[in-house]
Amino acid sequence: TTEELAAFDFSAGVGRIQRTLFDFYPGKLYSPEELEGGGISPSDPHAANRKTVSCATCRLVLHLKAGQVYGLNGDSATYAFKMWVDGKLLSQVGTVSETADGFVPKTCNYTVYFTAGEGPTVIVMQRSNFAHAYADFFEVILGPADKITALANSRLLRVELVFGAMMTASVFFLAAFFFFR
């Protein structure tokens, strides 16, 4: 909830930030400068149309401990996004667009790092998704850089372990096929 988000100490632990906690601006790709200017109001975060919007801008304001290095981790499943933290572009996956013609999706797991400054930290994401019927996006994970790095490494280790097990089974059955005909 918004209350839990305001009370959570991201300098001590890792938190999963649900998509409904972001201010949501459907159908338009606003830059951080445009949002700072004011005059643009977000839609209801629980609106039913949130899942059917193919492009949107999301904004989140957090009060983080100044001077600490934080990490953000998330997944991009065949969609595109751009992420700014305090007005600085930190990540771009694929090509965001307000139309399907300019949209270029990309699938990846991303991790970005930033140092919190004085005052609130503003995270702005532009997202496009013309590849799926439901265009809603996943949650993001925020926490101290070392814990986010450990989380990203453990996700990679799980993939490597499954891949290693599958390769071992493949070699075993291939050998069994050739030697025990």
Side-chain angles (χ1 to χ4, degrees):
T1 64
T2 306
E3 295 79 24
E4 290 172 329
L5 181 64
F8 192 83
D9 183 11
F10 287 102
S11 63
V14 173
R16 294 179 186 271
I17 303 173
Q18 299 295 322
R19 56 189 165 263
T20 55
L21 297 176
F22 284 80
D23 291 336
F24 186 66
Y25 305 88
K28 288 287 188 184
L29 300 176
Y30 295 115
S31 69
E33 294 81 22
E34 291 173 310
L35 293 175
E36 287 297 318
I40 304 170
S41 58
S43 74
D44 177 14
H46 303 289
N49 71 341
R50 185 179 177 105
K51 291 186 177 187
T52 59
V53 174
S54 295
C55 74
T57 303
C58 305
R59 181 176 182 261
L60 182 66
V61 178
L62 296 170
H63 298 282
L64 301 175
K65 187 176 178 181
Q68 182 163 348
V69 179
Y70 291 91
L72 269 167
N73 181 270
D75 291 308
S76 166
T78 61
Y79 62 88
F81 78 93
K82 280 184 176 180
M83 181 191 312
W84 290 266
V85 175
D86 292 335
K88 182 179 176 184
L89 181 64
L90 291 184
S91 182
Q92 181 171 349
V93 175
T95 304
V96 293
S97 175
E98 291 183 1
T99 64
D101 296 334
F103 169 68
V104 179
K106 185 174 181 182
T107 300
C108 77
N109 180 280
Y110 62 89
T111 304
V112 296
Y113 300 97
F114 64 94
T115 303
E118 296 295 326
T121 300
V122 180
I123 300 168
V124 175
M125 293 183 181
Q126 293 178 346
R127 295 184 173 266
S128 295
N129 189 344
F130 293 93
H132 302 285
Y134 292 107
D136 212 0
F137 67 92
F138 300 105
E139 64 195 8
V140 294
I141 302 169
L142 175 67
D146 58 337
K147 293 184 180 189
I148 291 295
T149 300
L151 176 74
N153 288 341
S154 70
R155 284 182 169 185
L156 182 61
L157 180 62
R158 284 188 299 208
V159 170
E160 291 171 345
L161 288 174
V162 169
F163 180 74
M166 297 300 286
M167 288 303 297
T168 302
S170 297
V171 168
F172 172 78
F173 286 110
L174 187 63
F177 172 76
F178 283 118
F179 294 118
F180 302 109
R181 293 177 66 101

